[in-house]
C-alpha cells in the first residue's frame, strides 16, 4: 500500500505538466473558435463579442487560472460544437473506445503470446519464420491502411462484414446502459441479437488494432523466452526429469512474463493513440473521433478533456503494471 501511495505522489507533477502543456498547445493551434462559430458573414464586432463571451479576450494567466479552477471542481467545460458538458461527452463515449481497445489487445495477446512461445521453443522452424513475418507486417502497415484494407476485402468485395457505421447497424437497438460495453450489456440482459450485431461490428476494428499490436508482443515474448530457456535453472529443471510442458509454462514463461507485461502496458498506450484513426475509419463513436472533430472546429475544451483523460488512463495503467509485477515476481515487492 505504501508503494502505491508513493507512486501516486510521483505522478502528480506529471499530471500538472500535462495540464499546462495541453492548455498552452490548444491556445497556439491554428484557428480561432470565435471566428469559426461566428460564421463567414460575421462582422468584427460580433467576433469580438463571441471572443469575450468565451473568455478568450482575457490574458493567458487569467484563462489558465479559470481553467484550473474548473478542473478542481470536476468541470472540463462545455463543447462549443455540441453545447454539452465535455465530461458528459467523454463519459458517454469512453466505454466505446475502451471496448474497442481491450478487444484488440485481448485478441493480440491470444495470438501473439502463444506464437512467441512456440517461436522460441521451435527456433528456426516455420513457426519462427511466421513470427518474423507477422512482426514485420505489423510494424510496416499503418493502422489506418490496415483498417481500410480489411473494409475493402471483407465488406466491399466479400460482403462478410457489415458496413463500418459504428457500434451497431441501422436495424439493431442499443442494450440498456449497464457497463457501457455493448457485448457485456447485451449478454447481461439476454439480448443475443444485439450481442451478435455488436460483435459483428466490432470484429474488423478489433482485428485492425490487433494487427497493429501483434508485432511488439510477439517479438518481446520470443526474445524473453529465448533468454530464459538458455538459463541455468531451466537446464537444471530439465535435468531433473521434468517434462517440456512443465518447464516451458511453469518455469520459463512465468520468469519471462515481466518484460512481456511491460510491453503490454506500452502497447495499450499506443492503442489509445491508434484508436483515433481506427474510430474515424469505422465511424466508431469513441472519444478519439470526438477529439478529432473538436480539433477541426477549434473547440478547445473537448481536446483538453481528451488529453487529460488519456493522461489519467496512462498513469492508472502504469500503476496497475507495478502492482502486477509484485504478483508475478514476489522479489519486486521485497525490493520495493
Amino acid at each position: 500500500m505504501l508503494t502505491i501511495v508513493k507512486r501516486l505522489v510521483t505522478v502528480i507533477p506529471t499530471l500538472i505538466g500535462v495540464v499546462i502543456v495541453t492548455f498552452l498547445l490548444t491556445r497556439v493551434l491554428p484557428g480561432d473558435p470565435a471566428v469559426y462559430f461566428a460564421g463567414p458573414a460575421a462582422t468584427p464586432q460580433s467576433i469580438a463579442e463571441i471572443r469575450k463571451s468565451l473568455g478568450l479576450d482575457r490574458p493567458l494567466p487569467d484563462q489558465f487560472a479559470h481553467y484550473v479552477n474548473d478542473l478542481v471542481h470536476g468541470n472540463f467545460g462545455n463543447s462549443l460544437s455540441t453545447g454539452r458538458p465535455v465530461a458528459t461527452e467523454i463519459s458517454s463515449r469512453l466505454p466505446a473506445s475502451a471496448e474497442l481497445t481491450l478487444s484488440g489487445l485481448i485478441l493480440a495477446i491470444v495470438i501473439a503470446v502463444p506464437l512467441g512461445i512456440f517461436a522460441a521453443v521451435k527456433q528456426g522452424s516455420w513457426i519462427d519464420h511466421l513470427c518474423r513475418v507477422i512482426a514485420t507486417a505489423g510494424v510496416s502497415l499503418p493502422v489506418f491502411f490496415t483498417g481500410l484494407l480489411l473494409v475493402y476485402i471483407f465488406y466491399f468485395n466479400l460482403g462478410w462484414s457489415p458496413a463500418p457505421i459504428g457500434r451497431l447497424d441501422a436495424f439493431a437497438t442499443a442494450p440498456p446502459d449497464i457497463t457501457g460495453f455493448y457485448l457485456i450489456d447485451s449478454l447481461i440482459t439476454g439480448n443475443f441479437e444485439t450481442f451478435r450485431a455488436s460483435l459483428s461490428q466490432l470484429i474488423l476494428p478489433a482485428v485492425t488494432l490487433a494487427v497493429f499490436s501483434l508485432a511488439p508482443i510477439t517479438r518481446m515474448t520470443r526474445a524473453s523466452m529465448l533468454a530464459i530457456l538458455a538459463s541455468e535453472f531451466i537446464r537444471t529443471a530439465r535435468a531433473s526429469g521434468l517434462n517440456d510442458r512443465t518447464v516451458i509454462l511453469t518455469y520459463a514463461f512465468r520468469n519471462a512474463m515481466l518484460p512481456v507485461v511491460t510491453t503490454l502496458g506500452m502497447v495499450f498506450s499506443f492503442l489509445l493513440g491508434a484508436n483515433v484513426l481506427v474510430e474515424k475509419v469505422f465511424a466508431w463513436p469513441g472519444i478519439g473521433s470526438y477529439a478529432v472533430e473538436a480539433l477541426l472546429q477549434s473547440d478547445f475544451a473537448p481536446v483538453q478533456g481528451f488529453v487529460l483523460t488519456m493522461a489519467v488512463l496512462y498513469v492508472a495503467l502504469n500503476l496497475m503494471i507495478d502492482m502486477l509485477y509484485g504478483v508475478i515476481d514476489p522479489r519486486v515487492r521485497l525490493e520495493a
Side-chain angles (χ1 to χ4, degrees):
M1 186 64 183
L2 183 59
T3 304
I4 297 176
V5 172
K6 290 181 179 179
R7 288 285 297 168
L8 288 175
V9 171
T10 58
V11 301
I12 293 177
T14 302
L15 294 179
I16 293 176
V18 170
V19 171
I20 296 174
V21 172
T22 304
F23 175 82
L24 294 177
L25 285 179
T26 52
R27 293 309 188 271
V28 300
L29 289 174
D32 188 343
V35 174
Y36 179 85
F37 287 98
T43 62
Q45 182 180 0
S46 62
I47 294 175
E49 291 176 355
I50 293 177
R51 185 176 288 110
K52 183 177 180 180
S53 65
L54 296 177
L56 298 177
D57 61 328
R58 293 181 294 180
L60 279 181
D62 291 347
Q63 295 184 39
F64 180 72
H66 181 72
Y67 173 59
V68 172
N69 182 64
D70 287 342
L71 288 181
V72 171
H73 292 87
N75 181 16
F76 285 178
N78 292 334
S79 172
L80 300 179
S81 55
T82 64
R84 299 180 61 192
V86 174
T88 303
E89 293 276 8
I90 290 179
S91 61
S92 63
R93 292 170 176 267
L94 186 58
S97 295
E99 185 175 41
L100 175 59
T101 303
L102 291 175
S103 299
L105 183 62
I106 292 172
L107 181 61
I109 292 173
V110 170
I111 298 174
V113 172
L115 183 61
I117 293 175
F118 282 120
V121 174
K122 304 292 184 180
Q123 189 176 8
S125 64
W126 67 270
I127 298 180
D128 193 14
H129 294 301
L130 177 63
C131 177
R132 295 174 183 175
V133 170
I134 291 178
T136 304
V139 172
S140 304
L141 296 176
V143 63
F144 67 89
F145 175 79
T146 305
L148 292 174
L149 183 63
L150 293 177
V151 169
Y152 177 75
I153 294 175
F154 293 100
Y155 167 66
F156 185 75
N157 279 345
L158 300 178
W160 293 354
S161 177
I165 55 174
R167 304 180 75 183
L168 289 173
D169 56 40
F171 304 101
T173 57
D177 190 6
I178 301 175
T179 64
F181 289 60
Y182 279 8
L183 294 181
I184 298 177
D185 292 347
S186 58
L187 286 178
I188 292 176
T189 57
N191 192 343
F192 298 106
E193 184 64 25
T194 301
F195 175 81
R196 183 202 63 79
S198 58
L199 179 61
S200 62
Q201 294 290 135
L202 182 63
I203 289 177
L204 283 189
V207 170
T208 302
L209 288 179
V211 172
F212 174 74
S213 54
L214 273 175
I217 300 175
T218 305
R219 293 176 64 181
M220 181 54 69
T221 304
R222 178 183 180 275
S224 183
M225 283 293 296
L226 285 175
I228 296 298
L229 289 175
S231 303
E232 292 288 342
F233 75 94
I234 294 296
R235 285 195 287 266
T236 303
R238 283 174 170 165
S240 301
L242 297 176
N243 58 60
D244 287 342
R245 181 186 180 88
T246 303
V247 171
I248 294 172
L249 298 181
T250 304
Y251 292 94
F253 181 61
R254 180 167 183 177
N255 285 275
M257 281 180 67
L258 284 181
V260 175
V261 169
T262 304
T263 303
L264 290 179
M266 293 188 295
V267 168
F268 186 78
S269 64
F270 295 156
L271 290 182
L272 292 176
N275 245 354
V276 176
L277 297 175
V278 176
E279 288 177 5
K280 294 302 293 182
V281 170
F282 292 94
W284 200 262
I287 59 175
S289 57
Y290 173 62
V292 171
E293 293 168 2
L295 185 63
L296 294 176
Q297 298 171 359
S298 299
D299 195 355
F300 292 153
V303 178
Q304 292 170 340
F306 170 77
V307 174
L308 287 176
T309 303
M310 292 297 101
V312 171
L313 288 176
Y314 186 74
V315 168
L317 177 65
N318 280 310
L319 183 61
M320 290 176 58
I321 291 175
D322 289 343
M323 296 171 61
L324 191 58
Y325 280 170
V327 175
I328 298 174
D329 191 347
R331 292 174 297 179
V332 177
R333 293 199 301 266
L334 295 176
E335 292 174 2

